[in-house]
Amino acid sequence: MVVINRGAHAEPGTSLLFKTGNWRSTECPSHVHTKAPCHAACPAGEDQQAWFAWLQEGHVELAWRELVRANPLPAVTGRVCPHPCEAACNRNAIDAPLAIHNVERWLGDEAIAKGWAYPVAPPAEDAPVVAIVGSGPGGLSAAYHCVRLGLRAEIFEALPEAGGLLRSAIPPTRLPRPALDAELNRLLALPGITINLRCKLGRDVTLDELGRSHDAVILAPGCQESKEWNVDGAVPTDLHEGLHLLREFMDHGEFPAAHHVAVHGGGNTAIDLCRMMKRHGVEQVTLITASALPGPDTDPADLINVVPRELEEALEEGIEIVEHATVKRLIMKGSRVTGVEIVSLKKLTGTDGRKHRVQFEGTERVVSVDMVIPCIGERVKADGLHSLLSRRHYLDATDPWGRTPQENVFAIGDARGDRGTVAEAIGDGRLAVEAVAAKLFGLPDPVRDDRGEMPAAGLNTVYFGPIERARVPKLPVADRTFEAEIEGDIGRLGALREATRCLSCGNCLACDNCWVMCPDNAVIKTAELASDGSHYLFDLDYCKGCGICANECPTGFIQMRTDTWQDSDQTV
Amino acid sequence: MSLYETDRKDERLAELREKFGRHPVDPPDRFHQGGSQRDRQPRFCGLESGHRACQGCGEALAARLVMECAGPDVMVANATGCLEVFTTPWPQTAWQVPWIHSLFENSAAVASGMEAAMKAKGRNTKILAFGGDGGTYDIGFQALSGMLERYHNILYVCYDNEAYMNTGIQRSSSTPHAASTTTSPAGPERMGKRHLKKDLLSIIAAHHIPYSASASVAFPADLQRKVRYAMGIEGPTFLVVHSPCPLGWKHDSHLTIEVARRAADCGLFPIVEMERGALSNVMPIRKVRPVRDYLELQGRFGHLMDPDDPRAVEELTHLQALADYNISHFNLRGEGEDPADTAGIAHVARDRSAGER
Ligand SMILES: Cc1cc2nc3c(=O)[nH]c(=O)nc-3n(C[C@H](O)[C@H](O)[C@H](O)COP(=O)(O)OP(=O)(O)OC[C@H]3O[C@@H](n4cnc5c(N)ncnc54)[C@H](O)[C@@H]3O)c2cc1C
Ligand SMILES: Cc1ncc(C[n+]2csc(CCOP(=O)(O)OP(=O)(O)O)c2C)c(N)n1
Ligand code: SF4
Ligand code: SF4
Ligand code: SF4
Ligand SMILES: [Mg+2]
């Protein structure tokens, strides 16, 4: 019992003896590193928030290193990815999304220009060897992640050059070959990766052989065979299929002669083909697509599946697009096409609960054309893959890691049938190798990252001002050729400035708000990095659980959670 | 800081402890050794944890923010009120500086004496006087006026939570018009307080003192700039800090800052600076919000939220008119965006030096 007489005084700071932490009646603050929406939306698995954070601190090379932990080809994806990250970016709620793809591309180019080495160590001489079929983005990503995780990779590629569709189909106006070569070559030069060109599965080597000679097999052959196309059984004799035409044009620079072309489809191939033909001199090019053009009310599931800016540029260049329509009838003179009958259609839910394409009687109209080009997609070519082919002619992978029914054989990228972008192929490569490495090194199987995602409503946007999105120069329509890249470079200053727009969704940006605004002085700032990645601790001995810190945290990194603290947990 | 460092002082303290019947080693070691994370905070903490303020108390926050940049070489005279009560439950104190509890009505007078004493001893220690709105707008007003008139070198800070909170939410002359308190209850007779909030700042400024200003817990950077500015002035200075009270205003404790922010954003609590009686600076409102946005978060204005009650509509409109008056009177509508307006001042960016300190 303390005896105190009237002349005594209280010693400074003695209130610390009184633990107001046990007043907390409801919830207590905690640091929760949720996924930024850009990261959650990125098929390649990049954590854009993390690399923007490095850029905000001025560390460009560290930003690139963080990026290539997931995606070894930023100079490529920065140019061709449809960037779902930007559609998901929380900055949409303030002004405009970050120009993520422009900065990504600049980081990739900068790494090439500066010769930064990939942050990987050479795998051991006796490391397990993984066979990879195909050197498109999927196969290349798999090879890279093998090295990153300590494995060796041996690639088998049917063509004389690596790159898959990046080289054979994507036009150089979007992906200049010097940029592509620079990034692919440095990847292929990594110690631990070997490539066998002109070596085709099904002709030069079999799946069984690979299974026996290698520790695991990853199949990334893409889709090489066009889907069959006809209109009620009618097929023009001089039928040219879209991807084939594009590839021919890449090789020889010529298209078959035509004045008015109708392209039937709605993917990147269709748009690229339309634009190339128009640029080549075809008077009128009409794209007929069952999907919708972007608009305020467009259902994302219905949206035409192309890189958004490609669509914009196509419209600028005078491509005519007929949305929600299909080709109903070919009008032929003998075996030559002279026109197409188009009919409106929409995907509607039928009585069986499934989506059906319903054509609307009375909307038929005729467009006169001298060529119709189907671009309705490709499927896997059976060569050497019969044992794994599904009824739909794809390699059915059973899970996100690409496992197939066959032990130690994985299928990734376009060949899965449920993919279709470079970034997805890259993400698949990483995931498959994570599963392979875990198995070969006797570690537990990788698990899905089920952290929550930080929505815009979880941020306190009061703390962020408007900053205009970077504007990147573009070649005017008149100056567009078959070679010159259309979209310009954001540049160092532009990239660093753009990074300052990032809201750091779900991750602490060390703003001090919690430290400054806690009425109970219960937030402690630390010089050392705490285990949760921040520089702040909650002193739960004193925190009364008011929730101010959580409300004023701009990034949503503080959330009020069920209290599990007990008096005996007293820490700091 | 240095008080406990030398052995001699430790010995003297041990003696005093014994004499006054205190614990031999008290306060706890972790505080004295300076080795804990808490002791290594890169700021002066004049008001420590363990105080008994309510969850989310705006006044506790305001006082800590003031102490942070006023201390450590200060002494405080504190009027009766919540701040005094919750920081000093005998035999403990949350203060880290010499601190005197005056009466409810005379913190300015006690501070004047402290300042005179320091002067006589030839010391530079700055004297701070603290009071609530009751202790400042009302009962302590004449003592304050005398302190200003006698030109003492004192910073007086009024923690304005707009009622006598410590004794159970009685209205003061700072309580806003139409707010419900226990002595101005909303009901069939009246729609909360009948009278207006006193424009204390103008009265203070009329004393022709060097500096007087209003600030808000919603804008700590601005508040602390004002404290530093006042600390640098030789002579009487005055600061009134808008400090939401979750209990008395009846809002959720996590909304303390949000409520204060909206008070400034709607114009009901103008954030201004005055020098020698003239308006010298205002914090412009970037985006003016309707007063309703501010009022609707608080139970004390709950009776104004019924659109079908004509009395409620009238009072709501009255408060909007008062806010509009403030905006035009103090010219709070800035031109374009200003890095120090109500939005700009709060903006954050990644701290590049985090962890390097
Ligand atoms: C015209 C066009 C434009 C496109 N534009 C974009 C775009 O802008 N953005 C975007 O994200 N995506 C775009 N895509 C899609 C993208 O190119 C593909 O999703 C991606 O290339 C798939 O990568 P992959 O590694 O799975 O397959 P691929 O890139 O198809 O690579 C497969 C590789 O495997 C090789 N191979 C196949 N079979 C065998 C075998 N039996 N033995 C050995 N090797 C074999 C092939 O030669 C090829 O090199 C476009 C596609 C096209 C056609
Ligand atoms: C002369 C005198 N009258 C009344 C009281 C009772 N009393 C103590 S604190 C207080 C109210 C304080 O209100 P305010 O100054 O606004 O401070 P708050 O508690 O709101 O921070 C009152 C009426 C007193 N201590 N002395
Ligand atoms: S603001 Fe930054 S972290 Fe948030 S979604 Fe956009 S890019 Fe990602
Ligand atoms: S602001 Fe302080 S007291 Fe309130 S919940 Fe956060 S840490 Fe606890
Ligand atoms: S308030 Fe700021 S410093 Fe505190 S956790 Fe959130 S982002 Fe980090
Ligand atoms: Mg009060």
Side-chain angles (χ1 to χ4, degrees):
Chain A
M1 177 65 192
V2 190
V3 183
I4 303 160
N5 73 15
R6 289 176 59 86
H9 59 274
E11 303 262 8
T14 33
S15 61
L16 285 167
L17 291 172
F18 190 82
K19 302 295 164 55
T20 49
N22 59 18
W23 292 17
R24 268 195 325 277
S25 51
T26 45
E27 292 181 308
C28 88
S30 55
H31 290 154
V32 186
H33 184 175
T34 42
K35 290 183 199 161
C38 48
H39 169 50
C42 177
E46 278 174 41
D47 190 344
Q48 291 83 343
Q49 184 277 318
W51 55 257
F52 274 130
W54 283 122
L55 285 180
Q56 289 178 342
E57 296 185 12
H59 300 298
V60 178
E61 185 174 356
L62 291 179
W64 175 79
R65 281 169 167 249
E66 169 60 45
L67 193 169
V68 297
R69 270 164 27 114
N71 172 8
L73 302 172
V76 170
T77 50
R79 290 178 161 88
V80 304
C81 186
H83 47 70
C85 52
E86 292 186 21
C89 175
N90 277 338
R91 187 115 204 165
N92 275 302
I94 299 183
D95 38 33
L98 267 86
I100 300 176
H101 77 278
N102 302 93
V103 182
E104 180 185 59
R105 164 181 153 179
W106 176 77
L107 277 175
D109 289 350
E110 186 76 357
I112 294 166
K114 297 263 165 74
W116 293 332
Y118 281 114
V120 296
E125 283 302 326
D126 59 350
V129 187
V130 179
I132 296 170
V133 177
S135 67
L140 291 171
S141 162
Y144 167 80
H145 284 285
C146 280
V147 176
R148 198 174 69 85
L149 298 179
L151 302 169
R152 299 183 154 268
E154 185 175 10
I155 305 177
F156 299 86
E157 168 58 56
L159 297 179
E161 279 184 294
L165 291 173
L166 300 179
R167 186 177 301 284
S168 65
I170 300 186
T173 50
R174 309 209 273 122
L175 182 56
R177 294 307 180 251
L180 175 65
D181 288 338
E183 202 155 61
L184 294 203
N185 290 343
R186 69 205 230 99
L187 192 158
L188 288 170
L190 282 175
I193 298 182
T194 51
I195 181 162
N196 307 292
L197 295 169
R198 298 188 185 83
C199 183
K200 186 171 181 181
L201 183 76
R203 182 186 70 198
D204 307 313
V205 64
T206 67
L207 189 52
D208 279 351
E209 284 165 14
L210 290 182
R212 271 180 264 117
S213 53
H214 293 74
D215 296 276
V217 182
I218 296 179
L219 299 170
C223 293
Q224 307 294 335
E225 192 171 82
S226 295
K227 287 185 191 160
E228 270 169 36
W229 180 86
N230 63 59
V231 180
D232 283 342
V235 184
T237 39
D238 58 341
L239 180 72
H240 301 282
E241 179 280 321
L243 185 56
H244 176 76
L245 278 186
L246 254 187
R247 286 182 154 153
E248 290 283 292
F249 184 78
M250 282 319 173
D251 289 344
H252 311 298
E254 272 307 322
F255 283 122
H259 298 290
H260 189 168
V261 173
V263 176
H264 184 205
N268 283 307
T269 314
I271 291 280
D272 278 335
L273 184 71
C274 288
R275 296 178 64 191
M276 303 289 268
M277 293 195 91
K278 179 90 183 168
R279 211 168 292 154
H280 193 252
V282 177
E283 282 151 39
Q284 206 176 343
V285 182
T286 308
L287 175 68
I288 300 158
T289 175
S291 311
L293 291 177
D297 304 323
T298 312
D299 172 6
D302 199 20
L303 192 64
I304 185 165
N305 187 18
V306 296
V307 181
R309 63 179 180 283
E310 305 308 330
L311 185 66
E312 242 169 65
E313 291 167 13
L315 293 168
E316 274 170 22
E317 291 164 14
I319 309 298
E320 212 179 289
I321 302 182
V322 185
E323 59 173 340
H324 285 145
T326 190
V327 177
K328 186 170 169 134
R329 193 164 63 90
L330 295 180
I331 303 169
M332 318 265 269
K333 212 176 227 165
S335 62
R336 254 191 51 241
V337 179
T338 59
V340 286
E341 183 178 313
I342 300 175
V343 65
S344 298
L345 99 179
K346 245 183 173 175
K347 270 187 232 157
L348 295 174
T349 311
T351 42
D352 58 357
R354 288 201 278 159
K355 290 265 186 190
H356 293 274
R357 293 183 167 187
V358 183
Q359 299 187 1
F360 302 114
E361 205 183 326
T363 60
E364 301 83 357
R365 63 263 192 204
V366 172
V367 181
S368 59
V369 298
D370 45 17
M371 189 186 284
V372 182
I373 305 171
C375 283
I376 54 163
E378 292 76 32
R379 54 192 197 177
V380 173
K381 201 163 195 160
D383 308 350
L385 294 165
H386 296 279
S387 60
L388 286 168
L389 224 50
S390 71
R391 271 191 24 239
R392 291 163 55 240
H393 262 257
Y394 293 117
L395 304 178
D396 270 350
T398 54
D399 63 18
W401 292 274
R403 294 184 180 94
T404 65
Q406 209 163 314
E407 180 82 3
N408 283 340
V409 176
F410 295 73
I412 64 171
D414 278 7
R416 287 182 56 137
D418 52 358
R419 302 293 194 250
T421 63
V422 174
E424 284 170 313
I426 289 173
D428 276 359
R430 175 176 54 86
L431 289 171
V433 174
E434 277 172 11
V436 168
K439 182 149 186 211
L440 295 179
F441 292 131
L443 301 168
D445 280 341
V447 288
R448 214 191 274 267
D449 174 6
D450 334 297
R451 284 180 301 144
E453 191 179 323
M454 178 51 55
L459 308 175
N460 193 334
T461 51
V462 161
Y463 292 104
F464 301 106
I467 308 176
E468 208 192 330
R469 177 181 159 117
R471 271 193 256 186
V472 176
K474 243 188 200 189
L475 272 189
V477 177
D479 296 351
R480 294 182 191 170
T481 63
F482 290 106
E483 294 297 330
E485 185 163 24
I486 292 173
E487 186 169 50
D489 176 20
I490 192 171
R492 183 187 177 84
L493 285 180
L496 291 177
R497 179 188 167 283
E498 190 65 13
T500 65
R501 299 181 67 234
C502 176
L503 309 173
S504 191
C505 305
N507 201 3
C508 179
L509 53 65
C511 69
D512 280 355
N513 270 7
C514 50
W515 188 60
V516 169
M517 294 185 186
C518 170
D520 287 278
N521 205 13
V523 179
I524 301 286
K525 186 163 176 166
T526 62
E528 307 78 15
L529 201 62
S531 54
D532 58 29
S534 83
H535 286 279
Y536 306 86
L537 301 171
F538 293 109
D539 190 346
L540 295 179
D541 290 2
Y542 301 106
C543 163
K544 291 173 187 152
C546 68
I548 289 180
C549 52
N551 201 60
E552 301 310 317
C553 175
T555 64
F557 186 63
I558 304 179
Q559 293 182 14
M560 300 305 283
R561 290 279 176 97
T562 311
D563 203 342
T564 54
W565 181 91
Q566 302 168 347
D567 280 303
S568 56
D569 291 342
Q570 289 176 15
T571 45
V572 184
Chain B
M1 296 207 85
S2 61
L3 206 59
Y4 303 102
E5 271 170 21
T6 65
D7 287 352
R8 201 184 55 74
K9 280 195 173 135
D10 278 355
E11 272 165 36
R12 174 73 184 135
L13 263 177
E15 259 170 50
L16 282 171
R17 281 211 182 87
E18 201 181 343
K19 180 171 169 196
F20 293 115
R22 303 288 310 277
H23 269 298
V25 278
D26 187 25
D29 284 355
R30 55 180 249 186
F31 174 67
H32 276 266
Q33 281 173 353
S36 73
Q37 294 277 14
R38 178 172 285 275
D39 294 319
R40 281 186 271 124
Q41 294 302 284
R43 67 181 175 194
F44 170 67
C45 186
L47 181 58
E48 255 303 0
S49 305
H51 61 69
R52 272 62 149 183
C54 302
Q55 276 185 329
C57 173
E59 192 169 80
L61 171 56
R64 205 206 72 225
L65 291 171
V66 168
M67 290 307 295
E68 218 168 276
C69 41
D73 190 16
V74 293
M75 293 186 185
V76 178
N78 200 152
T80 313
C82 281
L83 182 61
E84 167 263 319
V85 169
F86 71 64
T87 56
T88 52
W90 182 254
Q92 293 168 355
T93 173
W95 299 95
Q96 300 274 23
V97 299
W99 178 92
I100 294 179
H101 171 206
S102 66
L103 298 176
F104 186 22
E105 60 274 29
N106 66 352
S107 67
V110 169
S112 301
M114 290 160 72
E115 186 249 12
M118 284 301 114
K119 206 181 256 174
K121 295 188 81 172
R123 281 181 49 184
N124 275 331
T125 304
K126 181 99 174 183
I127 306 301
L128 308 177
F130 291 169
D133 52 294
T136 307
Y137 285 67
D138 294 346
I139 193 171
F141 182 68
Q142 68 84 10
L144 170 60
S145 180
M147 177 199 108
L148 301 175
E149 182 265 335
R150 291 189 305 273
Y151 215 79
H152 290 281
N153 180 19
I154 295 171
L155 166 60
Y156 189 107
V157 184
C158 169
Y159 298 99
D160 188 359
N161 53 19
E162 302 187 327
Y164 293 62
M165 296 308 179
N166 186 52
T167 40
I169 324 171
Q170 292 84 19
R171 58 85 87 189
S172 76
S173 60
S174 166
T175 304
H177 178 68
S180 183
T181 69
T182 52
T183 49
S184 64
E189 292 298 322
R190 290 222 183 287
M191 295 303 277
K193 183 181 165 182
R194 173 156 45 123
H195 309 98
L196 303 178
K197 182 179 169 98
K198 187 191 277 182
D199 179 8
L200 182 68
L201 207 56
S202 298
I203 305 172
I204 298 288
H207 288 75
H208 211 68
I209 58 169
Y211 183 68
S212 54
S214 55
S216 164
V217 289
F219 307 105
D222 173 74
L223 162 59
Q224 296 196 318
R225 174 183 65 78
K226 287 169 177 167
V227 173
R228 279 191 293 269
Y229 187 67
M231 289 296 289
I233 291 172
E234 180 88 23
T237 49
F238 178 87
L239 199 60
V240 53
V241 187
H242 204 219
S243 312
C245 167
L247 190 79
W249 298 12
K250 301 188 171 48
H251 62 74
D252 288 344
S253 65
H254 69 280
L255 292 178
T256 297
I257 303 291
E258 182 67 35
V259 166
R261 184 160 46 227
R262 292 190 190 185
D265 275 341
C266 73
L268 269 187
F269 192 87
I271 299 187
V272 304
E273 290 174 274
M274 295 184 165
E275 302 197 29
R276 300 288 182 203
L279 193 65
S280 59
N281 193 17
V282 302
M283 180 187 279
I285 303 175
R286 179 170 294 187
K287 197 167 174 288
V288 179
R289 299 182 74 145
V291 289
R292 197 195 165 87
D293 288 5
Y294 167 56
L295 307 176
E296 72 185 3
L297 298 178
Q298 307 170 59
R300 63 176 176 159
F301 294 110
H303 54 287
L304 305 184
M305 295 298 130
D306 180 0
D308 298 326
D309 179 351
R311 296 191 310 156
V313 174
E314 182 184 328
E315 291 302 4
L316 190 65
T317 318
H318 188 170
L319 284 166
Q320 183 64 59
L322 289 170
D324 295 344
Y325 167 82
N326 283 343
I327 290 173
S328 73
H329 181 68
F330 293 106
N331 194 15
L332 296 178
R333 226 182 263 278
E335 281 159 21
E337 281 164 13
D338 176 340
D341 63 20
T342 52
I345 187 99
H347 287 162
V348 299
R350 184 169 299 280
D351 181 357
R352 291 185 170 199
S353 58
E356 283 170 16
R357 271 170 228 152

